[in-house]
Amino acid sequence: MSTIARTQTPQGGRTRRAILEKAVDIASAEGLEGLTIGRLATELSMSKSGLIGHFGSKEELQLAVVETAREIFLESVVMPAMKADEGAPRLLGLCSHWLAYARAERFRGGCFFSAAAAEFDGRPGPVRDRIVQLMREWLDGLEAVISDAKRLGHLHRDVDAKQLAFELHALEMGANWAFQLFGDREAPARAHRAIRERLAAVSLLLVEQ
Amino acid sequence: MSTIARTQTPQGGRTRRAILEKAVDIASAEGLEGLTIGRLATELSMSKSGLIGHFGSKEELQLAVVETAREIFLESVVMPAMKADEGAPRLLGLCSHWLAYARAERFRGGCFFSAAAAEFDGRPGPVRDRIVQLMREWLDGLEAVISDAKRLGHLHRDVDAKQLAFELHALEMGANWAFQLFGDREAPARAHRAIRERLAAVSLLLVEQ
DNA sequence: TGCGCAACCGAACGTTCGTTCGCTCTCTAG
DNA sequence: CTAGAGAGCGAACGAACGTTCGGTTGCGCA
């Protein structure tokens, strides 16, 4: 109140971080609604009240879980892909890292956002709004990278960026779907093959690997 | 007990049918677990006990809901497509009717199975087992129609039927996903375009429409 | 040394969940 | 005409849900 720069919250919110790590894991498998405060507290050997004290309400916990999943997605998929050169290499990098991330089972239930989007597409509220916003950002990002590739002469200039982004994203989700539902370990490779051939058909460069 | 041929259950299970119709609708939007006996009873102006008496338990209700969704899917997608000629026309018919069925919002929450598969892919039990079985049947069916089209000379003989079935299914799910999450009314058309072009690339016939 | 605050706990709240029980209707078969 | 079965209701149950409250601990700062 007195000083402008408040002291950092003690121990840097380690408990909060541990809660969220476990929560994303559970939510990817059981859903954000199936994620229960009691269940989460038990798995962390905490009390329900001590746990929810970090967030205030279940809805705010869910929102924090979404943010955490976003951070993990960014560092698992987007940041590694950004090391690749602009244009087609970066586009292929985004797709490859996405498939690797889904295949690596970073979370128990596969891609968090595939599950969350399906769960909340029919439930209004701030959680849904945030998920929609993040998915929109992802698709817009894909589209922007495709446009870059066109500008750089990597892809044909008559490629419909929005259309191609839709198709690539659909193939990625299809891979996660088959991997999770059937345990089909070949699904990511199938999606990767489809993506490579789809890009090769509109590419002006040799598609590497 | 005495006679072998028991009498038909009175009024032909009309109430049971009405329950299931409403239940599939709710479940497509809120999920099979979010489908609540109390909520269902209220929407049907029934008592919880009177309702669950038709099924015995919630799990058996869920299984009945899955069977009902299957019947509706068969008559909305598979049966209309079977009127088309064997091979490529039937394949295109399956995809078109699937997209029309998703777009028509036959259920509040879009395709029931897309939602149910995502919800139950991480939860063991008979409901999940049945969903896996039906999804397997659908993908195998797609694959069989593709093989027919190859045999009839509609598609190139070196087409990988399993791979193509995966891709077509992924595009359909992508359309349902964008339609439900964003309300993107152009998504089915985008998927249809992608499917047409994908088929045209491996087709030996002019792809109609 | 003592004050204050954040972290956390245990207990309890009211609500909703799925399920069970006993009862009342309304048919229909004999 | 009567017996029996199925449909449906209302009340109640134990468990789990999210949330609230008061109290205890332990660390940092004055």
Side-chain angles (χ1 to χ4, degrees), chain A:
Chain A
M1 196 74 93
S2 52
T3 52
I4 295 178
R6 296 279 292 124
T7 335
Q8 277 280 77
T9 138
Q11 53 130 331
R14 279 208 314 273
T15 306
R16 190 186 145 101
R17 185 71 203 179
I19 294 172
L20 287 171
E21 283 277 349
K22 180 68 93 179
V24 180
D25 194 55
I26 295 180
S28 75
E30 323 263 356
L32 269 173
E33 212 61 44
L35 171 68
T36 264
I37 297 174
R39 157 91 183 276
L40 189 52
T42 302
E43 288 211 23
L44 289 161
S45 302
M46 284 185 68
S47 66
K48 292 199 294 174
S49 52
L51 193 150
I52 202 61
H54 286 272
F55 306 96
S57 69
K58 178 167 185 182
E59 190 171 74
E60 294 192 59
L61 167 63
Q62 291 175 325
L63 286 169
V65 169
V66 171
E67 286 325 296
T68 305
R70 173 184 133 98
E71 288 165 21
I72 294 173
F73 183 84
L74 284 176
E75 72 193 28
S76 301
V77 178
V78 178
M79 283 176 51
M82 282 305 167
K83 292 178 185 165
D85 290 339
E86 217 182 348
R90 187 169 293 172
L91 179 59
L92 201 59
L94 278 173
C95 296
S96 298
H97 283 104
W98 198 101
L99 290 171
Y101 145 86
R103 185 185 172 76
E105 302 194 84
R106 177 70 174 76
F107 304 124
R108 209 181 303 176
C111 174
F112 170 85
F113 287 103
S114 293
E119 182 181 6
F120 275 82
D121 63 9
R123 311 188 186 193
V127 179
R128 181 213 148 96
D129 294 345
R130 184 61 178 144
I131 292 171
V132 168
Q133 192 178 355
L134 292 178
M135 294 281 95
R136 180 95 278 161
E137 277 180 19
W138 165 249
L139 276 181
D140 286 350
L142 264 184
E143 190 183 330
V145 173
I146 292 170
S147 295
D148 287 342
K150 283 171 62 180
R151 185 172 43 75
L152 293 167
H154 297 171
L155 298 180
H156 280 124
R157 70 175 62 228
D158 57 358
V159 163
D160 183 337
K162 202 179 283 288
Q163 171 80 20
L164 184 55
F166 168 83
E167 294 179 28
L168 297 180
H169 176 73
L171 289 166
E172 287 157 3
M173 285 216 322
N176 185 71
W177 180 86
F179 190 66
Q180 289 300 317
L181 190 64
F182 299 137
D184 179 0
R185 306 194 70 84
E186 298 174 21
R190 242 194 293 275
H192 202 258
R193 178 179 155 194
I195 288 171
R196 257 185 293 117
E197 293 184 0
R198 180 68 178 90
L199 290 182
V202 294
S203 182
L204 299 172
L205 260 58
L206 285 178
V207 177
E208 52 273 67
Q209 220 213 25

Side-chain angles (χ1 to χ4, degrees), chain B residues 6 9 15 46-47 49-50 54:
Chain B
R6 299 279 290 122
T9 137
T15 305
M46 284 185 67
S47 66
S49 52
H54 286 273

Side-chain angles (χ1 to χ4, degrees), chain B residues 92-93 96-97 99 189 192-193 195-197 200 206-209:
Chain B
L92 200 59
S96 299
H97 282 103
L99 290 171
H192 202 257
R193 177 178 156 196
I195 288 171
R196 256 185 293 117
E197 292 184 0
L206 284 179
V207 177
E208 52 273 67
Q209 220 213 24

Side-chain angles (χ1 to χ4, degrees), chain B residues 1 4 20 62 161 169:
Chain B
M1 200 71 95
I4 294 178
L20 287 172
Q62 290 176 325
H169 176 72

